[in-house]
Amino acid sequence: MNLLNQQKRKQRTKRLIEKGAALEKLQGDQAAQINAEATRDWLNHKIAVNRQLVLDYQSLKNFAAHVTYDDGTSVLDHYHTYQAKQNSQQN
């Protein structure tokens, strides 16, 4: 039983080290100066910014879908056509 617990602790420690290394890579050059509490705040800020960007994107996409040309097509339709042409040229 003790050996099993020791193996679980080793696995957990390895996992935490790997997660910490991945997080420090995201934080960049300043990672060493950011403590655990500041890391939590940093992550919460990044998540909040990302959520706001998603909301802004959805709002812009909705707006573009409702702005139409004289022929009835939307700005979003033209954007999708443009993207499809770009993708086909790259392939």
Side-chain angles (χ1 to χ4, degrees):
M1 186 69 153
N2 193 19
L3 182 59
L4 182 62
N5 287 337
Q6 186 178 13
Q7 287 175 335
K8 284 184 179 182
R9 280 194 309 274
K10 278 186 175 184
Q11 290 171 346
R12 181 175 186 271
T13 299
K14 180 182 177 195
R15 194 172 60 252
L16 289 173
I17 290 169
E18 289 171 350
K19 285 182 181 184
L23 182 57
E24 284 192 346
K25 188 174 182 180
L26 289 173
Q27 289 177 323
D29 295 338
Q30 302 300 315
Q33 287 76 38
I34 303 174
N35 65 25
E37 287 181 17
T39 293
R40 185 185 62 243
D41 295 342
W42 181 86
L43 282 171
N44 286 332
H45 174 73
K46 294 296 181 187
I47 290 167
V49 167
N50 185 58
R51 284 184 181 145
Q52 187 59 50
L53 287 172
V54 168
L55 291 174
D56 292 347
Y57 169 76
Q58 290 170 342
S59 177
L60 181 59
K61 188 176 171 184
N62 185 43
F63 176 78
H66 291 90
V67 174
T68 58
Y69 294 99
D70 290 338
D71 66 359
T73 60
S74 72
V75 171
L76 187 61
D77 293 334
H78 283 259
Y79 175 73
H80 286 151
T81 302
Y82 170 78
Q83 286 295 99
K85 285 179 183 177
Q86 292 293 337
N87 289 338
S88 67
Q89 287 176 358
Q90 290 176 356
N91 294 332

PDB file of all heavy atoms in Angstrom, residues 20-32:
ATOM      1  N   GLY A  20       3.288  22.958 -14.655  1.00  0.00           N
ATOM      2  CA  GLY A  20       3.971  24.195 -14.295  1.00  0.00           C
ATOM      3  C   GLY A  20       4.888  24.671 -15.403  1.00  0.00           C
ATOM      4  O   GLY A  20       4.947  25.864 -15.709  1.00  0.00           O
ATOM      5  N   ALA A  21       5.591  23.738 -16.029  1.00  0.00           N
ATOM      6  CA  ALA A  21       6.484  24.098 -17.132  1.00  0.00           C
ATOM      7  C   ALA A  21       5.684  24.655 -18.313  1.00  0.00           C
ATOM      8  O   ALA A  21       6.085  25.643 -18.932  1.00  0.00           O
ATOM      9  CB  ALA A  21       7.303  22.883 -17.570  1.00  0.00           C
ATOM     10  N   ALA A  22       4.538  24.039 -18.602  1.00  0.00           N
ATOM     11  CA  ALA A  22       3.693  24.521 -19.694  1.00  0.00           C
ATOM     12  C   ALA A  22       3.161  25.923 -19.374  1.00  0.00           C
ATOM     13  O   ALA A  22       3.127  26.803 -20.246  1.00  0.00           O
ATOM     14  CB  ALA A  22       2.537  23.557 -19.934  1.00  0.00           C
ATOM     15  N   LEU A  23       2.768  26.137 -18.135  1.00  0.00           N
ATOM     16  CA  LEU A  23       2.260  27.444 -17.717  1.00  0.00           C
ATOM     17  C   LEU A  23       3.357  28.510 -17.797  1.00  0.00           C
ATOM     18  O   LEU A  23       3.122  29.615 -18.289  1.00  0.00           O
ATOM     19  CB  LEU A  23       1.707  27.359 -16.296  1.00  0.00           C
ATOM     20  CG  LEU A  23       1.089  28.615 -15.728  1.00  0.00           C
ATOM     21  CD1 LEU A  23      -0.048  29.111 -16.606  1.00  0.00           C
ATOM     22  CD2 LEU A  23       0.591  28.354 -14.326  1.00  0.00           C
ATOM     23  N   GLU A  24       4.549  28.186 -17.340  1.00  0.00           N
ATOM     24  CA  GLU A  24       5.654  29.139 -17.419  1.00  0.00           C
ATOM     25  C   GLU A  24       5.998  29.478 -18.865  1.00  0.00           C
ATOM     26  O   GLU A  24       6.354  30.610 -19.170  1.00  0.00           O
ATOM     27  CB  GLU A  24       6.877  28.612 -16.678  1.00  0.00           C
ATOM     28  CG  GLU A  24       6.737  28.719 -15.176  1.00  0.00           C
ATOM     29  CD  GLU A  24       8.039  28.474 -14.437  1.00  0.00           C
ATOM     30  OE1 GLU A  24       9.009  27.962 -15.052  1.00  0.00           O
ATOM     31  OE2 GLU A  24       8.080  28.792 -13.238  1.00  0.00           O
ATOM     32  N   LYS A  25       5.857  28.510 -19.738  1.00  0.00           N
ATOM     33  CA  LYS A  25       6.112  28.775 -21.154  1.00  0.00           C
ATOM     34  C   LYS A  25       5.105  29.794 -21.678  1.00  0.00           C
ATOM     35  O   LYS A  25       5.470  30.702 -22.429  1.00  0.00           O
ATOM     36  CB  LYS A  25       6.011  27.469 -21.945  1.00  0.00           C
ATOM     37  CG  LYS A  25       6.434  27.577 -23.376  1.00  0.00           C
ATOM     38  CD  LYS A  25       6.434  26.212 -24.048  1.00  0.00           C
ATOM     39  CE  LYS A  25       6.898  26.316 -25.474  1.00  0.00           C
ATOM     40  NZ  LYS A  25       6.909  25.015 -26.146  1.00  0.00           N
ATOM     41  N   LEU A  26       3.845  29.672 -21.258  1.00  0.00           N
ATOM     42  CA  LEU A  26       2.814  30.638 -21.661  1.00  0.00           C
ATOM     43  C   LEU A  26       3.077  32.024 -21.076  1.00  0.00           C
ATOM     44  O   LEU A  26       2.816  33.036 -21.724  1.00  0.00           O
ATOM     45  CB  LEU A  26       1.431  30.167 -21.214  1.00  0.00           C
ATOM     46  CG  LEU A  26       0.846  28.966 -21.942  1.00  0.00           C
ATOM     47  CD1 LEU A  26      -0.442  28.521 -21.258  1.00  0.00           C
ATOM     48  CD2 LEU A  26       0.596  29.283 -23.398  1.00  0.00           C
ATOM     49  N   GLN A  27       3.593  32.063 -19.856  1.00  0.00           N
ATOM     50  CA  GLN A  27       3.833  33.343 -19.191  1.00  0.00           C
ATOM     51  C   GLN A  27       5.047  34.069 -19.754  1.00  0.00           C
ATOM     52  O   GLN A  27       5.197  35.268 -19.558  1.00  0.00           O
ATOM     53  CB  GLN A  27       3.996  33.141 -17.680  1.00  0.00           C
ATOM     54  CG  GLN A  27       2.692  32.781 -17.006  1.00  0.00           C
ATOM     55  CD  GLN A  27       2.858  32.498 -15.528  1.00  0.00           C
ATOM     56  OE1 GLN A  27       3.851  31.912 -15.107  1.00  0.00           O
ATOM     57  NE2 GLN A  27       1.871  32.902 -14.759  1.00  0.00           N
ATOM     58  N   GLY A  28       5.906  33.362 -20.414  1.00  0.00           N
ATOM     59  CA  GLY A  28       7.042  33.994 -21.066  1.00  0.00           C
ATOM     60  C   GLY A  28       8.184  34.317 -20.120  1.00  0.00           C
ATOM     61  O   GLY A  28       8.360  33.687 -19.073  1.00  0.00           O
ATOM     62  N   ASP A  29       8.943  35.345 -20.475  1.00  0.00           N
ATOM     63  CA  ASP A  29      10.169  35.697 -19.758  1.00  0.00           C
ATOM     64  C   ASP A  29       9.931  36.088 -18.298  1.00  0.00           C
ATOM     65  O   ASP A  29      10.824  35.961 -17.473  1.00  0.00           O
ATOM     66  CB  ASP A  29      10.885  36.851 -20.464  1.00  0.00           C
ATOM     67  CG  ASP A  29      11.381  36.462 -21.850  1.00  0.00           C
ATOM     68  OD1 ASP A  29      11.552  35.248 -22.100  1.00  0.00           O
ATOM     69  OD2 ASP A  29      11.588  37.367 -22.674  1.00  0.00           O
ATOM     70  N   GLN A  30       8.752  36.581 -17.989  1.00  0.00           N
ATOM     71  CA  GLN A  30       8.450  37.040 -16.624  1.00  0.00           C
ATOM     72  C   GLN A  30       7.961  35.927 -15.706  1.00  0.00           C
ATOM     73  O   GLN A  30       7.655  36.174 -14.541  1.00  0.00           O
ATOM     74  CB  GLN A  30       7.400  38.158 -16.678  1.00  0.00           C
ATOM     75  CG  GLN A  30       7.822  39.348 -17.515  1.00  0.00           C
ATOM     76  CD  GLN A  30       9.095  39.986 -16.985  1.00  0.00           C
ATOM     77  OE1 GLN A  30       9.241  40.190 -15.791  1.00  0.00           O
ATOM     78  NE2 GLN A  30      10.014  40.298 -17.874  1.00  0.00           N
ATOM     79  N   ALA A  31       7.887  34.701 -16.182  1.00  0.00           N
ATOM     80  CA  ALA A  31       7.313  33.591 -15.419  1.00  0.00           C
ATOM     81  C   ALA A  31       7.975  33.401 -14.052  1.00  0.00           C
ATOM     82  O   ALA A  31       7.296  33.147 -13.059  1.00  0.00           O
ATOM     83  CB  ALA A  31       7.399  32.297 -16.219  1.00  0.00           C
ATOM     84  N   ALA A  32       9.267  33.555 -13.982  1.00  0.00           N
ATOM     85  CA  ALA A  32       9.980  33.328 -12.719  1.00  0.00           C
ATOM     86  C   ALA A  32       9.599  34.350 -11.652  1.00  0.00           C
ATOM     87  O   ALA A  32       9.687  34.068 -10.451  1.00  0.00           O
ATOM     88  CB  ALA A  32      11.485  33.346 -12.949  1.00  0.00           C
TER      89      ALA A  32
END
